[in-house]
Amino acid sequence: MIRKSTKGLGTKESPLIKVITSIPAVRIPPVTAAYRVAHQKDLLALLKSELSGHLEEVLMSRMRGPLGADAHWVDKAIAGLGTNEALITDLIIGRQPSSLSLLRAHFTRSKGKPFNSFILDDLSLKTRTCFEIALNAAWSDLPDLGNGPETFAGYGFGTAQSFPNEPLVQSDMRDLERAMKPGGGVEPIQLATIIFGRSPVHLNRLQQVYLQHRRSPMTRDVKKGVSGHLRNAFLYALEGGKKDVNGCWRDAKMLHKTMEGAGTKDLLLIVRLLRAHWDKARFANIQAAYYAHYGVQLREDVRKDTSGHYREALLALFNP
């Protein structure tokens, strides 16, 4: 069907969208390999020659698969003129340590570039130091998670246990008392060691304890004491464990941000929607969180904010 949709004069976009968005993640590598054998052509090269714009980004990224798409977006976020900070944050922060290791290995193998230094060389001062902590961190509350199971998409949103390590929570709270001074002073490196080195389950409980101690949400105090890229990275991690422990509420909020105000942030919408859709059960939870918070279906907001075959491709990601 892919061959038929691209053969002859003009690309038949609708059939191409239908077939590409219906291939399960685990079937993408054998499909691309079979296409190469059958037609002596690289499937991604074919799609690049046939497509353009946002539709090209959607369909090519989907045919790269979960890890391949993430590696592509890391490269895209850094290689252009100026760092796409929001994109790097989405791809690195809050990611399960074993999943980050998979991405590191895939990126280095496919791009021929050292993953950590490629990212860190584009950052400076304390932001660089804090992201170095994030790139090398294990989740101290779940020391065995690096060898644990992940979702099939390779993101590892689930955790190995559903209860926090209370002694570590209390220890972190004492450290936070020193790192976050009343009135807004923050020691970001000490903060990064905690926020980037703990699971969403732990951060959920830690934020409850922080609120009890300080009578102020931890996210509010981070906003007061930290600015720029680093503030957004801290908030991304904390919100991944603020109202749930699997990041669905945060991801619903981040999807909404791509469509609020004047103009759609199309690349971030594509990235966030594609990354969300691989795990269908989790995607359903994100859509439920979106509706609960904004009173409108995510699919409907996507439909209103996009058009043409680009809209058709994004809406196809909602199919079961």
Side-chain angles (χ1 to χ4, degrees):
M1 183 61 75
I2 293 175
R3 173 72 171 173
K4 188 176 180 180
S5 299
T6 57
K7 192 174 181 181
L9 288 175
T11 304
K12 302 169 186 67
E13 286 90 351
S14 292
L16 189 62
I17 290 166
K18 184 176 181 180
V19 66
I20 286 180
T21 57
S22 67
I23 302 171
V26 294
R27 291 289 303 154
I28 289 173
V31 166
T32 55
Y35 189 92
R36 180 185 289 275
V37 170
H39 304 292
Q40 291 77 53
K41 289 183 179 179
D42 179 76
L43 182 52
L44 288 177
L46 172 73
L47 294 177
K48 188 168 184 62
S49 70
E50 295 285 335
L51 303 170
S52 62
H54 300 320
L55 180 61
E56 175 190 328
E57 187 68 43
V58 175
L59 296 188
M60 287 190 66
S61 294
R62 198 178 191 284
M63 285 309 298
R64 290 183 175 101
L67 279 175
D70 280 5
H72 160 72
W73 289 322
V74 168
D75 195 34
K76 192 179 185 76
I78 300 294
L81 187 63
T83 306
N84 188 325
E85 296 174 352
L87 190 49
I88 282 294
T89 297
D90 279 19
L91 295 165
I92 302 303
I93 301 302
R95 196 177 187 116
Q96 186 172 304
S98 53
S99 177
L100 188 56
S101 295
L102 285 174
L103 177 59
R104 181 183 293 109
H106 186 96
F107 182 90
T108 302
R109 182 176 65 253
S110 62
K111 303 295 182 182
K113 304 171 186 177
F115 181 74
N116 283 21
S117 60
F118 180 69
I119 294 169
L120 295 173
D121 287 351
D122 218 52
L123 306 174
S124 60
L125 303 175
K126 289 185 178 180
T127 302
R128 176 191 171 102
T129 302
C130 291
F131 264 79
E132 187 170 12
I133 291 169
L135 286 167
N136 293 299
W139 287 350
S140 299
D141 57 304
L142 299 173
D144 298 325
L145 192 59
N147 297 316
E150 299 180 8
T151 63
F152 74 88
Y155 296 142
F157 290 112
T159 55
Q161 62 185 54
S162 58
F163 53 89
N165 179 332
E166 284 294 339
L168 185 58
V169 169
Q170 297 303 323
S171 174
D172 284 349
M173 187 62 225
R174 290 190 293 271
D175 289 339
L176 286 173
E177 294 281 3
R178 293 188 289 271
M180 300 180 71
K181 306 297 182 185
V186 171
E187 210 306 298
I189 295 173
Q190 190 171 6
L191 196 60
T193 301
I194 296 171
I195 292 178
F196 295 155
R198 308 290 186 267
S199 74
V201 169
H202 186 91
L203 293 176
N204 178 274
R205 176 60 181 153
L206 183 59
Q207 290 178 86
Q208 294 172 16
V209 172
Y210 186 95
L211 182 60
Q212 293 166 3
H213 278 245
R214 289 288 186 92
R215 302 288 186 254
S216 176
M218 191 173 172
T219 49
R220 181 185 299 168
D221 289 350
V222 167
K223 290 175 185 177
K224 289 180 182 177
V226 189
S227 62
H229 186 189
L230 194 51
R231 176 180 65 182
N232 293 335
F234 284 149
L235 292 175
Y236 189 89
L238 288 171
E239 290 180 349
K242 187 174 182 178
K243 296 193 177 182
D244 54 34
V245 295
N246 58 12
C248 290
W249 175 82
R250 176 204 59 207
D251 288 359
K253 180 180 177 181
M254 300 306 286
L255 278 161
H256 187 262
K257 281 180 176 292
T258 67
M259 297 179 282
E260 67 180 356
T264 304
K265 302 175 183 68
D266 289 291
L267 178 60
L268 285 174
L269 175 59
I270 291 167
V271 171
R272 288 169 181 169
L273 205 56
L274 270 168
R275 297 187 80 232
H277 98 288
W278 294 115
D279 186 329
K280 295 300 183 183
R282 188 172 183 277
F283 191 30
N285 289 335
I286 291 170
Q287 293 178 69
Y290 192 97
Y291 184 77
H293 195 64
Y294 300 108
V296 63
Q297 297 291 349
L298 172 60
R299 191 183 190 281
E300 178 60 16
D301 271 354
V302 171
R303 187 194 66 79
K304 288 190 298 185
D305 263 59
T306 56
S307 62
H309 292 300
Y310 169 45
R311 170 199 284 167
E312 184 180 350
L314 290 183
L315 294 182
L317 301 177
F318 288 84
N319 294 336

